[in-house]
Structure formats: structure tokens, C-alpha cells
Amino acid sequence: MRYSLSLYTVSLLPGVLAGWTNPFPVQKCNGMIIEDVDIDTVQSYFHRDLLTAHQLTQCYIDRINLLNPFFHTVIQVNPDALGIAKALDMERGLTGPRGPLHGIPILTKDNIATADKVPTTAGSLALLNSTVARDSHVAALLRLNGAILLGHANMAEFADYIAYDNYSEGYSDRGGQTRNCFNATQQTSGSSSGSAQSVVCNLCMAAIGTETDGSILLPAMHAGIVGIKPTVGRVSRAGVVPGSLSQDTVGPHARTFRDAAYILDAISGVDMRDNATFTAVTSGAATHANFSESVANTTALKGAKFGIPWDVLWSSTAGAVTHRAALLDVFSRMEAVGAIIYNNTNIPQIRDLQNPYGWGDALDTPMELWARTYLHVDLYNGIDGYLRDLQSSPIRSFEELLAWEDTNNASTGALGGGDIWVSGADNFERANATHGVTDEAYYLAKLWRHELSKTGIDTALTHITADGTVVQLDGLLVPMTGAGPYDSPSSGIPAAAHYPAVTLPVGQDPWQLPFGLGIWGTAFSEAKLIRYGSAIDDLVRWRGKPQYYSYNTTKIPFDVRWPGFFDTPA
């Protein structure tokens, strides 16, 4: 054992609260179980003529219609979804399936452009009457691989970047407040809230999210599912409403690593419309990989080497301290099957990169101050460029968008009273003040944050033991845990580094919300992270079933429970 704290197992509360009955049990589809099934199982149904893609799509649409009035996870269903499913069923009968995604209904976040009857709005009514010139690269590849684009998932409006001071996570003017299917009074975490919750609510087979800083990993954490944040450049962002082209990426939410890997297989690769996708070529990494072949079981952990960046990430951040015992018990189980775990594989200058109490890029830390210097410029230029590329739209520039927000979303003085923003679109105001100018301060700030984060992870992955032995680690293990209204700190550093990360569920807190374990790697190491993430997942085998507690709540924002974990559960 290479860490000093003794290990013990925490007995978590059961998934069902006393006296509570699940109001939304998942019904069979044409007699087949679809609750929590994976893609391979559904493909076996298709192969044996036990279910059709048309039937499955109809079952998901029926369930969306049942749950969406309460949980608001889906902004709009594709009106052509059933016709697409029927055509794919006919194609299967004539020429066979295109691959594992053939006939699989998938939701895409509402900032991922689809050139169909579902407008892409980033959750904003301002873009409701806009049309895109083409599918996003991701949407086009999903269609090519036979997936059914079921519709758009709800999201935090403009991916959390419209407001900075006052907002409710997962809320959009167009879609309303996304709710957590485990407990609707609690956090959904990250702007891809609708994508993650739709998967765990059994409203689709899988979903696509986007991440600038935490918006794939954190929603997956609080949905109790698998999330993969790819290296920036692994997946094209062309046709995605930007948060920051410096560090945006697109990735899957799924029930299993194999399902997520199937999707990553489909959407990865070089795209002429996104220069970042050429970084795999210039770095010597494979531009495309068969990620599903990397999925492994527990035996893959034998001899695998992992590090624990203890300082700050494990020692003091709120969620990590709360769930430390349960997470360290996972490490003990990993060691029992042959994994080698080293403690204190710390990130150099961690206190410049992370607030010691959690909360990501907390106010006035050096990381947050440097981040604001360039992220506001990125926000202005990214959204302005996206608007100008639209086929048609009443709004064609960032200034016009801000004016629309100021006119239509006037301050209400209280969260949830017509709009979530108490003091207007304050972050948009900050972005507009930059006028998109990329000056010396912009480049210095971006370089500082990127290089410090990238070097920090790479240094931690090359561990030097007390006797001077250099050990190359396979990944860094980080807590994926919420802390009251705040979220895990375990996303900001790989986001700034442009590096990949994965999360898997390992337990549930007294408020019924899942928490997880994350793995960080270096650039373009997705195959390795999938291999070891799936192996740990096979070892732990934790999946919670949402009970939809307080499904009829209208609370906006969510219950504030900080310090929360020391109070009585709701």
C-alpha cells in the first residue's frame, strides 16, 4: 500500500428512499427489455428479429413524452426520426447493418448542428429561427454510421457561458431546467446535463455532449454513467456552437465503455473544417483508432500503474474528502487484482491551477484570472464566427446576440422568474468588452494556462520513486465527486491541457446522486484510458437506478446543500 490512510468501506444508502416508489418504471419494448441495455444487446435483438429500430425509436419517443414534462432533458425530438428508423430497418434487411450504431437512437446536445427539422439553438430562443448550412461533422458521421439522430438534448444555455455570477446549472430558456433523475432537487452538473440525464433516464441509447471545462465529465458523474472527454483535436468541432475553440471537444455519454467507444470510433478523425483535428497527425498519434477494441475486463489491471495526485485534488477538495473512504476502497480492490498504485504523484504548481477547496477555477485563483483573460476573447470570436456561418438567422453577430439577450431577458431579481440571469447576460458582457482582440495578453494567458496544465499532467505521469526509479504511469486517478452546489475540481486541468479524461460511476451519496472515479492521460491516450477505465468498471460494477425522487419539484436553482454532506438529506 503506497498511501498512508487506512481503508474502509462506506455503507451508502440504498437507491430507493424509504417509502418511495419509482413513478417511471421502464416498460418493455415489443416485449424486449430495454432498461439499461447496451448497444450489443440491442443489436442482438435486431439480428434475431425481436425488435426493430422503428419500434425502439417509438418506445424512446413515448418515454420522452412521459418524462420530459418533469425532467426537461430533451429540447426537441426529431420529427423524422421514425422515418429514418424505418429506412434503416429496410436497409438492414437488404444489405445488413453498417456497423454497431446501425439503428441506434442517439441524442445530440443542442449546440451540435443538425441540418434537419430540429433547430440548433444552444438552448437559446435567440437562435430558434436560425438554420445551419450543413450538418456538424459529428452529426454527419453519426448518420454515415447508421445512427438515428433522435433529437437535441437540453443543455445549460450557451454551455454556461452566458452568465457567470448567477445561473442554475442545466437551465436554458428554450428547454427549461434539466433535472437529475436520481433526485430532481439536486445538481445535474455541467452544461451537457440533458445528454447525460437522457441516457440514465432511458430516453435514448447514448448521447453526445461537448466540453470546454467539465461539461462531459461532470454531467456523467452525476448521472452515474460513463463519460469520455477526448483530446482536443480527436473529434471535429465544426458545426458546434463554440465555448472556446482553444479547448472545446466533443464526446460520448453512454452506459458502458464499449458503447462510448463505438461512438468515439464513429465520430473521430480529421476534418478539413477544423484545423485542430490535424494535431493528431503532427503529433504522431493515430488520427483514428478502433477504440472499441481497447475495452477490457478486470484482468487488464494486472501490472497497470496508476498515480494519485494527492495534493489538493485528494487532500482538501470538498467532494474528495467526503467520498475519500469509498474511493480508496476501490484502489484497494484494484491492488488486489494486481494494479500498482503510487501516491503523491502530484501536479506541479497545483495551487496555481486549482482552488484548494474545490469548485474548479474558483474566483481569483491565478488559474481563473488567467482563464478569463483569454476565454472571454474565445467566446466572442467563436460565437461571432458561428453566427456569421449560419445559412439564415435574424442574429448575425455577437453584438446582435447580446442585444437580443439584453432586450428579451431583462433582470427579474430572482432566479427562475422568467430567466435565470439575475443581472443580465453578465459573462456575455465581459466577452463583448474584449471585441475579440487577440493581443499579447491573450496569447500569454492562453499559453500560461495550457503549458502549466499540460506540463503538470505529463510530469505527474512520469513518477520518480523515493529510490530514484522512474515509473511511467498509465493514468492519474482523480475524484469525480460533487460538493453541495459545487462540482468536482477534476476537470479544469485536463481541459486547459487539451488532454483526454474518462469517468466511471462507483457509488451514490445520501442524496441519491452518483459519484465517480476519473482517469487522466496525456494527449491522444484515449485507447489507454478506455482500456483501464473499462477494466476498473468491470471490477467495481456499480450502476444506480434512478428513482426520480421529487420529480414534480419546481425548484430553481437546485437545493443548496453546502456543506450539505453534514446536514440531513432531503
Side-chain angles (χ1 to χ4, degrees), residues 378 421 438 476 567:
D378 281 356
W421 324 125
T438 54
L476 300 176
D567 299 334

Side-chain angles (χ1 to χ4, degrees), residues 246 367 374 445-456 493 495-499:
S246 297
M367 171 70 98
Y374 74 90
K446 185 163 67 169
L447 181 65
W448 182 90
R449 191 175 190 239
H450 174 62
E451 289 298 326
L452 197 61
S453 300
K454 181 167 69 74
T455 302
I493 297 174
H498 307 173
Y499 279 2

Side-chain angles (χ1 to χ4, degrees), residues 150-305:
L150 184 58
H152 282 329
N154 198 7
M155 59 180 286
E157 191 166 339
F158 283 106
D160 276 335
Y161 283 106
I162 186 172
Y164 189 89
D165 296 329
N166 297 284
Y167 67 96
S168 183
E169 188 64 83
Y171 180 96
S172 73
D173 279 348
R174 186 176 172 213
Q177 178 66 69
T178 307
R179 298 285 177 186
N180 194 301
C181 294
F182 287 87
N183 182 341
T185 70
Q186 302 299 307
Q187 262 283 17
T188 54
S189 301
S191 68
S192 303
S193 299
S195 300
Q197 291 297 322
S198 292
V199 173
V200 77
C201 286
N202 284 281
L203 304 182
C204 58
M205 284 297 303
I208 310 294
T210 67
E211 175 158 342
T212 306
D213 186 346
S215 288
I216 292 173
L217 298 173
L218 300 181
M221 168 190 77
H222 268 164
I225 59 172
V226 170
I228 299 178
K229 172 210 175 291
T231 307
V232 173
R234 174 66 76 185
V235 179
S236 172
R237 290 86 47 85
V240 176
V241 183
S244 164
L245 290 178
S246 297
Q247 58 189 56
D248 287 350
T249 189
V250 182
H253 282 142
R255 298 185 180 93
T256 69
F257 273 95
R258 187 173 298 280
D259 285 3
Y262 283 147
I263 293 172
L264 194 57
D265 282 338
I267 64 177
S268 296
V270 171
D271 175 20
M272 297 297 291
R273 297 186 64 239
D274 184 356
N275 289 338
T277 60
F278 290 92
T279 56
V281 180
T282 57
S283 67
T287 58
H288 188 83
N290 292 320
F291 296 110
S292 56
E293 294 180 0
S294 298
V295 176
N297 59 27
T298 300
T299 60
L301 294 174
K302 186 174 182 179
K305 301 177 179 66

Side-chain angles (χ1 to χ4, degrees), residues 76-426:
Q76 185 176 342
V77 170
N78 182 356
D80 294 329
L82 288 171
I84 293 169
K86 187 174 183 180
L88 287 166
D89 283 332
M90 293 177 63
E91 180 184 319
R92 178 189 297 272
L94 292 171
T95 61
R98 301 183 193 181
L101 297 186
H102 191 110
I104 299 298
I106 292 175
L107 284 167
T108 52
K109 188 176 177 179
D110 187 42
N111 61 349
I112 299 173
T114 54
D116 52 24
K117 295 176 183 175
V118 183
T120 302
T121 66
S124 174
L125 294 172
L127 298 183
L128 188 59
N129 295 318
S130 66
T131 59
V132 297
R134 63 192 73 83
D135 269 341
S136 62
H137 193 65
V138 166
L141 289 176
L142 288 171
R143 293 190 205 273
L144 182 66
N145 281 270
I148 299 165
L149 299 189
L150 184 58
H152 282 329
N154 198 7
M155 59 180 286
E157 191 166 339
F158 283 106
D160 276 335
Y161 283 106
I162 186 172
Y164 189 89
D165 296 329
N166 297 284
Y167 67 96
S168 183
E169 188 64 83
Y171 180 96
S172 73
D173 279 348
R174 186 176 172 213
Q177 178 66 69
T178 307
R179 298 285 177 186
N180 194 301
C181 294
F182 287 87
N183 182 341
T185 70
Q186 302 299 307
Q187 262 283 17
T188 54
S189 301
S191 68
S192 303
S193 299
S195 300
Q197 291 297 322
S198 292
V199 173
V200 77
C201 286
N202 284 281
L203 304 182
C204 58
M205 284 297 303
I208 310 294
T210 67
E211 175 158 342
T212 306
D213 186 346
S215 288
I216 292 173
L217 298 173
L218 300 181
M221 168 190 77
H222 268 164
I225 59 172
V226 170
I228 299 178
K229 172 210 175 291
T231 307
V232 173
R234 174 66 76 185
V235 179
S236 172
R237 290 86 47 85
V240 176
V241 183
S244 164
L245 290 178
S246 297
Q247 58 189 56
D248 287 350
T249 189
V250 182
H253 282 142
R255 298 185 180 93
T256 69
F257 273 95
R258 187 173 298 280
D259 285 3
Y262 283 147
I263 293 172
L264 194 57
D265 282 338
I267 64 177
S268 296
V270 171
D271 175 20
M272 297 297 291
R273 297 186 64 239
D274 184 356
N275 289 338
T277 60
F278 290 92
T279 56
V281 180
T282 57
S283 67
T287 58
H288 188 83
N290 292 320
F291 296 110
S292 56
E293 294 180 0
S294 298
V295 176
N297 59 27
T298 300
T299 60
L301 294 174
K302 186 174 182 179
K305 301 177 179 66
F306 301 97
I308 302 175
W310 187 263
D311 191 21
V312 175
L313 292 176
W314 285 94
S315 63
S316 61
T317 54
V321 171
T322 303
H323 296 306
R324 185 187 292 160
L327 290 163
L328 292 183
D329 183 62
V330 173
F331 298 166
S332 182
R333 294 170 63 185
M334 290 170 62
E335 289 187 318
V337 296
I340 304 169
I341 301 178
Y342 299 86
N343 195 16
N344 294 315
T345 58
N346 293 317
I347 307 287
Q349 294 180 254
I350 184 66
R351 283 170 173 75
D352 288 334
L353 297 173
Q354 175 63 54
N355 179 285
Y357 301 105
W359 321 320
D361 297 343
L363 286 172
D364 300 326
T365 60
M367 171 70 98
E368 190 270 337
L369 292 171
W370 282 92
R372 272 193 279 172
T373 302
Y374 74 90
L375 286 177
H376 287 146
V377 175
D378 281 356
L379 182 64
Y380 178 99
N381 289 329
I383 291 182
D384 191 72
Y386 178 86
L387 293 171
R388 294 179 189 279
D389 189 51
L390 289 171
Q391 180 171 299
S392 64
S393 176
I395 296 172
R396 283 295 191 177
S397 70
F398 190 90
E399 288 84 358
E400 290 177 6
L401 177 62
L402 178 59
W404 189 97
E405 293 289 348
D406 286 342
T407 300
N408 291 277
N409 293 327
S411 173
T412 62
L415 288 170
D419 195 359
I420 58 172
W421 324 125
V422 173
S423 53
D426 57 89

